[in-house]
Amino acid sequence: MRIERDILSKNNDHAAANRVRLAKRRSFALNFVSSPGSGKTSLLARAIGDLKERFPIAVIEGDQQTSNDADRIRAAGAPAVQINTGKGCHLDAHMVAHGLDALKLEPGGLLFIENVGNLVCPAAFDLGEAHKVVVLSTTEGEDKPLKYPEMFAVSDLMLINKADLLPHLDFDVSQCIAHALKINPDLQALVVSAKTGEGLPAFYAWIEARAARWARANAPAAVAE
Amino acid sequence: MRIERDILSKNNDHAAANRVRLAKRRSFALNFVSSPGSGKTSLLARAIGDLKERFPIAVIEGDQQTSNDADRIRAAGAPAVQINTGKGCHLDAHMVAHGLDALKLEPGGLLFIENVGNLVCPAAFDLGEAHKVVVLSTTEGEDKPLKYPEMFAVSDLMLINKADLLPHLDFDVSQCIAHALKINPDLQALVVSAKTGEGLPAFYAWIEARAARWARANAPAAVAE
């Protein structure tokens, strides 16, 4: 318990430092969290293709092993650094600081951080992001917000991905959102498909609107650089 | 301009007094706003049927003329007062104060206020509610949040009603939400059908979660009564 507090306290110091660096570089960071296989990388690859004319985008990829995801992201047209956590089950803010060292972030751009596929541990680790975005796929069942409440409590947006599979599944979208709202009454929820593109205009509008507001709030930090 | 300021300032005084009365009576109030014909009354009648075992519910109905809507609400099982605004294009907080005089509100209950069908003027008038809920139906077109931005800016929840008609329409749900998020990055959006019941579990979960949080925040007022 004491050790856990020390680890989290150290992580929060690194997260605060990351947040200052990101504000100075006017880079709006989103931390994508989910179970393995929810389709985060496909979603980010598609978003990069659709948004790269509007925003410079860079990506930090977290996985226990392999650099497959960073390769897919680079193929989609964005610079990416892969962080392998080895036995670690989540990214921490110190790892992300090293990722920031390695990436050239353009002012006014987006930083997508794809966390390790894990619906538990990444909830406890602030990375310095503006928002956590939790991705839940329709194949996972609508009870996940009740079973893994921490993750839904700390996220500001829930993307229900793989909407294209809805006709073939028993997944109840409204019940899933109902469960999530019980945990987090402010949570925004959007139904999307990285495969067909369904629902992505609303996701992109959310990014643009939040990034614009974040930029206004963080303008003083940018000026103070 | 001067007159407009005076009217709004007086309205805000009445709204603040309503808010205190509602807190003392532990009554969670929602102000439903929309164009005419969006299906507000059907939605409220259905919600009353579905929620009346969980919450005592009372309704204030605003219309220029007739008491048809209050009759429909009473038939659904909730006490209702009808306020006819005559030439007035919106409810104001003073009218709602008279409505509160006429209604018996049970502690821990819900008060639904159905505003006059008008996507413009009701946006400017705080009635003392906890939240404005804007209802937009799929037959109205997805551009309405851009054309009537004030209403979407002051609302906390958007219900996209008449989802049952989506297969027969060109309405693009994601584009509609995208437009609304441009105006209000915090807006929550749910797709529902008062006719089929689709999407209502999430709407009810939103009400329950928000009412519970509101009750915690307003507990001191209740105790001080």
Side-chain angles (χ1 to χ4, degrees):
Chain A
M1 197 59 195
R2 170 70 185 277
I3 291 170
E4 193 184 315
R5 267 206 309 277
D6 285 351
I7 289 174
L8 286 176
S9 151
K10 211 163 207 175
N11 183 74
N12 286 343
D13 293 345
H14 284 296
N18 289 348
R19 199 162 268 120
V20 169
R21 286 176 74 181
L22 288 162
K24 283 190 180 169
R25 291 158 90 168
R26 293 203 288 117
S27 201
F28 178 72
L30 297 175
N31 177 2
F32 290 85
V33 291
S34 80
S35 301
S38 67
K40 287 195 301 305
T41 314
S42 301
L43 199 61
L44 296 188
R46 179 146 190 162
I48 288 162
D50 292 340
L51 294 175
K52 66 185 172 187
E53 306 298 322
R54 274 185 270 175
F55 296 101
I57 305 177
V59 178
I60 293 175
E61 279 294 333
D63 279 294
Q64 289 198 307
Q65 297 294 347
T66 84
S67 61
N68 299 352
D69 285 0
D71 296 341
R72 288 171 65 192
I73 292 296
R74 286 185 203 112
V81 290
Q82 179 80 49
I83 297 175
N84 283 137
T85 59
K87 296 193 181 181
C89 54
H90 58 85
L91 287 174
D92 67 34
H94 190 229
M95 296 172 192
V96 168
H98 285 299
L100 293 179
D101 292 340
L103 277 175
K104 184 168 159 20
L105 298 179
E106 306 282 347
L110 308 178
L111 174 66
F112 293 157
I113 303 169
E114 183 177 344
N115 220 310
V116 178
N118 177 342
L119 212 44
V120 180
C121 312
F125 288 82
D126 180 7
L127 305 180
E129 72 274 357
H131 303 284
K132 282 190 180 67
V133 176
V134 60
V135 182
L136 182 69
S137 67
T138 55
T139 55
E140 294 173 60
E142 63 270 337
D143 60 340
K144 293 303 166 290
L146 296 180
K147 290 191 166 177
Y148 302 92
E150 277 309 308
M151 194 60 95
F152 294 84
V154 298
S155 295
D156 293 306
L157 176 66
M158 169 170 70
L159 295 177
I160 300 178
N161 191 26
K162 307 193 187 177
D164 52 293
L165 297 178
L166 281 171
H168 314 290
L169 298 169
D170 277 334
F171 186 88
D172 183 333
V173 169
S174 185
Q175 201 57 62
C176 178
I177 297 173
H179 292 326
L181 289 172
K182 263 174 217 166
I183 307 300
N184 180 353
D186 297 316
L187 189 69
Q188 293 172 287
L190 298 172
V191 179
V192 300
S193 166
K195 189 171 178 188
T196 66
E198 177 188 342
L200 293 179
F203 173 43
Y204 300 155
W206 185 88
I207 293 176
E208 285 200 64
R210 292 286 186 149
R213 192 167 65 181
W214 178 89
R216 285 192 300 274
N218 288 281
V223 171
E225 191 177 7
Chain B
M1 199 58 194
R2 169 70 185 277
I3 290 170
E4 194 184 313
R5 268 206 309 277
D6 286 352
I7 289 174
L8 286 177
S9 151
K10 211 163 206 176
N11 183 74
N12 287 342
D13 293 344
H14 285 295
N18 289 348
R19 198 161 270 120
V20 170
R21 286 177 75 180
L22 289 163
K24 283 191 179 168
R25 291 158 90 169
R26 293 203 289 120
S27 199
F28 177 74
L30 296 175
N31 178 2
F32 289 84
V33 291
S34 79
S35 301
S38 68
K40 286 194 304 302
T41 314
S42 301
L43 198 61
L44 296 188
R46 179 146 190 164
I48 288 163
D50 292 339
L51 294 176
K52 67 186 173 187
E53 307 298 321
R54 273 185 271 174
F55 296 101
I57 306 176
V59 179
I60 293 176
E61 278 293 333
D63 279 294
Q64 288 198 307
Q65 296 293 347
T66 85
S67 60
N68 299 352
D69 285 359
D71 296 341
R72 288 170 67 191
I73 292 297
R74 287 186 202 111
V81 290
Q82 179 80 47
I83 296 175
N84 284 136
T85 58
K87 296 193 182 179
C89 52
H90 58 86
L91 288 174
D92 66 35
H94 189 229
M95 296 172 190
V96 169
H98 285 301
L100 293 179
D101 292 340
L103 277 175
K104 184 169 161 15
L105 298 181
E106 307 281 348
L110 308 179
L111 173 65
F112 292 156
I113 303 170
E114 183 178 342
N115 219 311
V116 179
N118 177 341
L119 212 44
V120 180
C121 312
F125 288 83
D126 179 8
L127 305 180
E129 73 273 358
H131 302 284
K132 283 190 181 69
V133 177
V134 60
V135 182
L136 182 69
S137 66
T138 55
T139 55
E140 295 173 59
E142 62 270 336
D143 58 341
K144 293 303 165 292
L146 296 180
K147 288 190 168 178
Y148 302 92
E150 278 308 308
M151 193 60 95
F152 295 83
V154 298
S155 296
D156 294 307
L157 176 66
M158 169 169 71
L159 295 177
I160 300 179
N161 192 26
K162 307 192 188 177
D164 52 293
L165 297 180
L166 281 172
H168 313 291
L169 299 168
D170 277 334
F171 187 88
D172 183 333
V173 169
S174 184
Q175 200 57 63
C176 178
I177 297 173
H179 291 327
L181 289 172
K182 264 175 216 168
I183 307 299
N184 181 353
D186 296 317
L187 189 69
Q188 293 172 287
L190 298 172
V191 178
V192 300
S193 166
K195 190 172 177 184
T196 66
E198 175 188 343
L200 293 179
F203 174 42
Y204 301 155
W206 184 89
I207 292 176
E208 285 199 65
R210 292 285 186 151
R213 192 167 64 180
W214 178 89
R216 285 193 299 275
N218 287 281
V223 171
E225 190 177 9

